[in-house]
Amino acid sequence: MTTSEHEHVIEVTDLRRVYGGGFEAVRGITFHVKHGEVFALLGTNGAGKTSTVELLEGLAAPAGGRVRVLGHDPYRERAAVRPRTGVMLQEGGFPSELTVAETVRMWAGCTSGARPGAEVLALVGLTEKTGVRVKQLSGGERRRLDLALALLGEPEVLFLDEPTTGLDAEGRRDTWELVRGLRDAGTTVLLTTHYLEEAEGLADRLAILHEGRIAAAGTPAEVTADRPSRISFELPEGYFVGDLPPLAVLGVSGHEVEGRVVRLRTRDLQRTATALLRWAEESRVELRRLDARSASLEEAFLGIAREAAAGAGMPGAKEFVR
Ligand SMILES: Nc1ncnc2c1ncn2[C@@H]1O[C@H](COP(=O)(O)OP(=O)(O)OP(=O)(O)O)[C@@H](O)[C@H]1O
């Protein structure tokens, strides 16, 4: 089966995973990943991200539901799926006495159609470390070696479990560039991450898992759309919140005051910001440390976690099909 622009490269339907002791880590999740898309699975610790990715990689059989990768069952039809996928696990677990070059050679021996080791090491910026033993690599360099090995077979589908954990800011940005380049070349990427900024900047679509279920899903913009924007500023000496226009007139849905700092929440950022600035100008007042911003994925994520903890029922999709 060949992939085309319109096919779902990964299809997950009502997927369940139950561990030995009877614990249900994945409780019926549904999502699709399209050809050439970067899809991020987010979630709190223990939400079920790794448990899900392992089912997609064919490392275990689901307790219920269905997984298809490139049209195949990754567990039962492993031989058909494995050569076309690249996997970067959370723990690489290579023999630490081998050098980087030896590790890549060993891995290439188990990879059908492996490209030259020097090529993947250059891609991840490890060329200088070719002769270094794995045990002497830094944590970030090991992550990059993990990524190099996942790329050896020029996979059509790439699974990245927390690819930038342990990387410094520059290494993280390099990895993002690399993933974007792979996506632009048609690779489908599914990644898990704890970095919301990473998902916001990299993912075409994402799902937020909470206790084995999808709490919200969509594009980063869709997931943040129903969250309020925020405006904060410092009131000058002698002014109080009561001196502002009525908050209802400003279109404010909630506010907090801490000393002189005022934080407003609004669902209409333009209206609130305009009314506030008009008032400041007419009152000849300077709003110091003025900051206005749309909801970030981080706010959406924290909001979902809070609502879930409060048992308030979660927004967004219980299932997500597009
Ligand atoms: N082999 C196992 N046996 C029993 N329970 C397990 C096993 N592996 C994972 N779990 C449990 O399943 C749940 C989901 O774990 P999982 O590793 O999938 O979460 P995660 O979202 O990847 O978390 P993290 O962000 O911490 O890596 C957790 O409560 C975990 O304790």
Side-chain angles (χ1 to χ4, degrees), residues 17 19-21 23-26 43-52 90 161-162 192 194 209:
R17 182 161 189 186
Y19 286 110
F23 178 72
E24 196 176 11
V26 181
T44 43
N45 285 128
K49 301 178 294 293
T50 300
S51 301
T52 302
Q90 254 182 53
D161 203 355
E162 296 187 22
T192 71
H194 280 288
L209 286 184

Side-chain angles (χ1 to χ4, degrees), residues 13-14 25 30 32 37-39 52 61 65 101 110 179 197 226 246-247 249 252 257 271 279 293 301 307:
T13 314
D14 199 21
T30 296
H32 295 155
E37 187 170 58
V38 176
F39 189 94
T52 302
C110 321
V179 170
E197 182 201 354
D226 61 349
L247 295 182
V249 172
V252 166
V257 184
R271 172 183 161 202
W279 170 82
R293 61 181 66 195
F301 184 89
E307 283 154 23

